[in-house]
Amino acid sequence: MNARIEQCDVLVIGAGPAGSVAAALLLKQGRQVLVLEREQFPRFSIGESLLPQSMEYLEQAGMLQAVVEAGFQYKNGAAFVRGERYTDFDFRDKHSAGWGTTYQVQRASFDHVLAKEAERQGAEVRYQHTVTAFDQEGSKPRVTVRHADGSEYIVEAGFVLDASGFGRVLPKLLQLETPSNFPVRGAIFTHIEDGVAAGGFDRNKIRITVHPEHCDVWYWLIPFAGGRCSIGVVAETKFLEQFKGSETERLQELVMQDPASRALLKDARWDTPARQIVGYSANVKSLWGKGYALLGNAGEFLDPVFSSGVTIAVKSASLAAAVLQRRFAGESVDWESEYAVPLKKGVDAFRTFVESWYSGGFQKVIFYERQQPEVRRMIAAILAGYAWDESNPYVKESKRRLNTLEEICS
């Protein structure tokens, strides 16, 4: 029996932030949008600390009110700790114009809020539908889809956006994956009831702690509303493999190696089994091809250290939707110059700072006690996600400027 064939203007693979925001933006253009999601929402996902730049795209997609009303933890900056040293950046005091505050979110709830909002605006979202094949041969791309009950059907779309995140559906089906130039790192993480008394630390900021002995090993502590936190450690896999036991035991042992974290979390209740992901950094040969484009983590994922993942995801959704608006209007579009190149500019700026973080150079900058106020505002803008603002010299000439700053701070 032949599988049924459905039609839509745009098929979006994945209902995470990139997929939901893209769907909402396309709906505003009058497009018929179908979103296929492999999981059943709400579902666990990591990457809970948003950046203020992402608020612009949530607002653009008409989703901001839903996010504000969801009751997530307010966030206005980032704090950095190593041993006795402490510094923080307030994202409201930054070089770039735009949002200076955002939220720290449980992604299960946050992603579900966005997906439901995309549905409310008119997108059809189907859960537990998995894309198993992609055919570019015809005039329109076709995807084969399998439902959780085993039934299959085909969708013929005017265009396909892959927002499948770490699932990386089209990169796998089309052999687009290429190795990342980052060392293979892993993260062990969980959610805890932190038990920190009021005033124990600034809950309006993500707290990033450098390991007392290894500058390339770091911990995150992301406060949520209601006295809970996301906590995790990131290191090269060969370092993590030294620690034995369950993931929770390994994470606890690693966290307790830092005296400040040990004191801060002395009353924590570790009530959720920890998880581990390894080799998360990824890249692709191209961010687009005949009939498709890759959004967010489906295209490239750098590293969690500066919480750039969701911001890159929703930025990519905004860029892709703008190109598609011109394409559906009958204009000639160039996905490389209009989508891939602009997106990569910001990603490459983030990459410069990630590389410098792990080499220890950017840590010297962060903890430098005589930093000029205007330079701090430029750094704050990067940390707030404004990696596409070329009025900031640390975006426009990120490598040269950061190298010079590292020398000054050494």
Side-chain angles (χ1 to χ4, degrees):
M1 182 182 297
N2 292 331
R4 76 177 189 275
I5 300 177
E6 300 184 21
Q7 309 276 341
C8 67
D9 291 339
V10 182
L11 173 66
V12 179
I13 306 172
S20 293
V21 168
L25 293 172
L26 291 163
L27 288 164
K28 291 179 185 298
Q29 301 173 16
R31 304 272 77 83
Q32 178 199 5
V33 182
L34 173 61
V35 182
L36 301 178
E37 168 57 49
R38 181 182 61 183
E39 305 290 342
Q40 179 63 54
F41 278 22
R43 56 85 179 95
F44 181 86
S45 182
I46 201 67
E48 302 106 337
S49 199
L50 305 184
L51 301 183
Q53 168 76 99
S54 64
M55 302 291 276
E56 175 184 336
Y57 304 109
L58 296 176
E59 189 172 28
Q60 189 182 96
M63 294 177 159
L64 186 58
Q65 182 177 346
V67 172
V68 169
E69 293 179 352
F72 296 118
Q73 169 67 46
Y74 171 83
K75 175 186 175 184
N76 63 21
F80 296 87
V81 183
R82 185 169 191 185
E84 298 297 318
R85 288 178 290 178
Y86 174 95
T87 189
D88 59 39
F89 290 81
D90 189 323
F91 292 159
R92 295 166 294 184
D93 183 18
K94 65 186 188 312
H95 168 85
S96 302
W99 284 83
T101 64
T102 184
Y103 297 100
Q104 306 192 123
V105 301
Q106 292 97 329
R107 285 287 301 278
S109 300
F110 175 74
D111 290 11
H112 202 200
V113 166
L114 298 190
K116 286 190 293 185
E117 187 60 22
E119 285 188 283
R120 189 193 67 77
Q121 293 184 26
E124 181 179 359
V125 181
R126 297 178 187 171
Y127 297 102
Q128 296 184 299
H129 287 247
T130 302
V131 171
T132 59
F134 183 78
D135 182 359
Q136 299 171 276
E137 296 306 312
S139 58
K140 293 183 177 181
R142 284 187 171 193
V143 302
T144 303
V145 186
R146 184 176 64 245
H147 184 254
D149 65 10
S151 61
E152 290 193 341
Y153 59 98
I154 291 170
V155 179
E156 185 177 82
F159 202 82
V160 176
L161 294 176
D162 184 356
S164 59
F166 291 122
R168 301 172 66 77
V169 171
L170 292 188
K172 290 177 179 177
L173 290 175
L174 300 176
Q175 288 79 53
L176 299 173
E177 294 182 299
T178 60
S180 167
N181 62 347
F182 287 143
V184 178
R185 296 189 177 96
I188 308 175
F189 51 88
T190 190
H191 290 178
I192 61 173
E193 183 178 305
D194 56 74
V196 179
F201 74 115
D202 188 348
R203 301 193 75 91
N204 295 332
K205 294 177 175 64
I206 182 175
R207 182 183 172 100
I208 296 174
T209 301
V210 183
H211 189 281
E213 297 177 18
H214 307 282
C215 74
D216 61 341
V217 179
W218 62 276
Y219 312 91
W220 76 71
L221 189 67
I222 302 172
F224 298 140
R228 297 189 64 79
C229 279
S230 170
I231 185 167
V233 62
V234 175
E236 290 190 28
T237 52
K238 61 185 178 183
F239 178 84
L240 295 177
E241 287 167 359
Q242 302 174 70
F243 301 89
K244 308 303 178 184
S246 68
E247 306 297 13
T248 301
E249 290 168 338
R250 296 168 70 205
L251 178 57
Q252 287 177 309
E253 184 178 354
L254 280 157
V255 169
M256 295 308 148
Q257 288 188 347
D258 174 62
S261 299
R262 185 168 63 244
L264 189 66
L265 300 174
K266 60 183 175 57
D267 296 322
R269 191 161 67 92
W270 298 69
D271 54 5
T272 306
R275 308 178 184 213
Q276 175 175 277
I277 55 173
V278 173
Y280 45 74
S281 296
N283 208 341
V284 289
K285 298 173 185 175
S286 176
L287 290 173
W288 61 276
K290 182 184 176 184
Y292 73 88
L294 309 179
L295 305 184
N297 294 348
E300 181 171 8
F301 181 74
L302 296 173
D303 191 272
V305 65
F306 300 128
S307 306
S308 60
V310 171
T311 298
I312 292 171
V314 293
K315 172 70 174 183
S316 69
S318 178
L319 286 170
V323 178
L324 283 175
Q325 183 170 24
R326 294 191 293 275
R327 181 183 183 273
F328 280 113
E331 298 179 26
S332 177
V333 299
D334 183 340
W335 279 93
E336 186 64 24
S337 65
E338 296 178 47
Y339 174 70
V341 170
L343 182 61
K344 286 178 180 177
K345 282 184 178 179
V347 174
D348 286 345
F350 276 128
R351 178 184 287 105
T352 298
F353 284 81
V354 170
E355 290 173 343
S356 180
W357 169 267
Y358 281 105
S359 70
F362 189 47
Q363 294 177 30
K364 294 175 183 176
V365 171
I366 284 173
F367 291 113
Y368 188 59
E369 295 179 353
R370 299 190 300 277
Q371 196 69 264
Q372 296 178 3
E374 182 53 31
V375 172
R376 277 187 64 85
R377 286 192 285 271
M378 292 174 182
I379 297 300
I382 299 285
L383 296 174
Y386 292 89
W388 291 268
D389 176 12
E390 294 196 325
S391 74
N392 186 342
Y394 290 90
V395 171
K396 189 172 180 64
E397 304 174 298
S398 57
K399 285 190 177 181
R400 185 178 72 82
R401 291 279 185 163
L402 189 54
N403 286 342
T404 300
L405 193 57
E406 289 176 11
E407 291 175 7
I408 294 171
C409 300
S410 294

